[in-house]
Amino acid sequence: MKNLQNILAFLGVFIVFCSWISFSQALQNFVPVGCFKDKLQDRALPDLIINHRISDPVIDWSNLSITVQSCAKAAQDKGYVYFALQFWGECWAGHSGHLTYDKHGPSTHCERGVGKGYTNFVYRNTGVDNECEAPRVLDSEDRAMTYSKKLAPFLCDEHMVPGWYRFKGKAGNAIANTCPAKWSCGTHMAGWMKGSHPQPSQGITDAKVCIHYPEQNNCCVGEEPIKVRNCGRFYVYKLKPAEIGCFSRYCGNGR
Ligand SMILES: *[C@@H]1O[C@H](CO)[C@@H](O)[C@H](O)[C@H]1NC(C)=O
């Protein structure tokens, strides 16, 4: 009986500890994007989500990062990836912000991490897993589905470090999204993503990579579960070596 009490007490402390952890991690990371012009009649980020000139916490002129953090939290809670501080205390965001935040061009009218009049100091949320901050890069030309030279030996992702990746440069700007041709992207069994990419506000989503087995003309002989995230102007994918082994590889779209 004493034991049970001890266990219950321990569990209680443990639960309090866990909720403290999740509370202290409630604010996700964000990174500065830059200082950009805005226009009254054509807002680059159209939604005023909180105005710290009048709402709590009102601007603390000795520490503007309190304002920025509060804006970041409000933006994250509402599913915005891009947000900005304008006129020191106005917190602006937009669900298409990744497309529009710089539409009026760059500006120098910012200070201490916030914009002055009609100027946005723009930030980007980096996601719950920090997936949008510094993903590993896959950029070799031979990884593109448009790379048609048959390599010998084939290349393989067997030593890939599990984690978040983005496609870039000659590999393309996203993972291949249609079935690659036989022996393209430098490998025997080309991996490509079935289905479409998510919107930024959807956060991390589940997706499937199909493995193309050319000898059977089978575009989806194996399926590999992956995660995909739209970071605004690029996608990231949570990848690990494919179950099917060598020689298989995740292919870029070559665009
Ligand atoms: C400003 O506020 C932030 C967030 O509350 C805090 O972490 C930081 O230490 C403060 N900086 C100064 C200089 O007081």
Side-chain angles (χ1 to χ4, degrees):
M1 209 52 203
K2 192 90 171 89
N3 253 345
L4 185 64
Q5 274 174 6
N6 281 344
I7 289 171
L8 285 178
F10 174 78
L11 269 182
V13 169
F14 184 71
I15 287 167
V16 167
F17 179 72
C18 287
S19 50
W20 175 76
I21 295 247
S22 66
F23 175 76
S24 61
Q25 288 181 343
L27 185 66
Q28 303 159 23
N29 285 343
F30 52 90
V31 289
V33 175
C35 185
F36 297 92
K37 291 179 187 146
D38 200 13
K39 283 192 177 154
L40 183 59
Q41 306 298 341
D42 182 21
R43 293 288 188 181
L45 298 168
D47 307 336
L48 179 61
I49 54 177
I50 182 166
N51 185 351
H52 292 294
R53 301 188 71 87
I54 52 175
S55 302
D56 277 334
V58 290
I59 301 172
D60 175 349
W61 293 100
S62 70
N63 189 347
L64 292 176
S65 80
I66 295 170
T67 307
V68 176
Q69 296 215 358
S70 173
C71 177
K73 180 79 172 69
Q76 286 167 9
D77 288 349
K78 292 176 159 65
Y80 293 102
V81 176
Y82 282 81
F83 65 93
L85 272 304
Q86 177 172 143
F87 203 33
W88 291 270
E90 295 172 359
C91 175
W92 293 86
H95 285 300
S96 301
H98 57 297
L99 304 173
T100 59
Y101 71 82
D102 57 353
K103 70 181 189 176
H104 302 306
S107 169
T108 55
H109 211 49
C110 292
E111 63 164 13
R112 295 191 286 158
V114 300
K116 304 184 197 177
Y118 302 111
T119 311
N120 280 326
F121 194 97
V122 178
Y123 294 85
R124 181 163 55 79
N125 285 318
T126 55
V128 288
D129 199 19
N130 236 8
E131 66 275 8
C132 297
E133 184 159 17
R136 291 184 166 88
V137 171
L138 301 173
D139 59 0
S140 67
E141 183 177 11
D142 56 38
R143 192 179 280 280
M145 66 181 286
T146 48
Y147 182 84
S148 55
K149 202 189 302 177
K150 184 183 178 185
L151 292 186
F154 287 127
L155 298 171
C156 183
D157 279 338
E158 63 178 327
H159 298 304
M160 172 178 251
V161 178
W164 288 99
Y165 288 84
R166 72 178 280 194
F167 290 83
K168 220 177 166 179
K170 293 200 162 158
N173 59 17
I175 198 167
N177 211 202
T178 55
C179 183
K182 197 174 187 174
W183 302 321
S184 62
C185 82
T187 196
H188 177 213
M189 295 178 285
W192 60 285
M193 192 180 86
K194 204 161 77 170
S196 53
H197 286 88
Q199 290 302 309
S201 57
Q202 287 176 263
I204 297 171
T205 61
D206 290 310
K208 289 255 191 294
V209 159
C210 274
I211 307 294
H212 179 202
Y213 193 69
E215 282 74 12
Q216 292 177 354
N217 278 327
N218 187 339
C219 273
C220 205
V221 73
E223 281 192 356
E224 191 69 27
I226 64 161
K227 304 265 183 211
V228 55
R229 170 75 207 267
N230 185 334
C231 290
R233 294 195 175 178
F234 60 92
Y235 301 109
V236 290
Y237 310 87
K238 195 171 192 179
L239 305 176
K240 57 184 186 329
E243 284 290 325
I244 206 162
C246 290
F247 295 94
S248 72
R249 216 175 178 208
Y250 298 102
C251 302
N253 64 7
R255 292 201 289 270

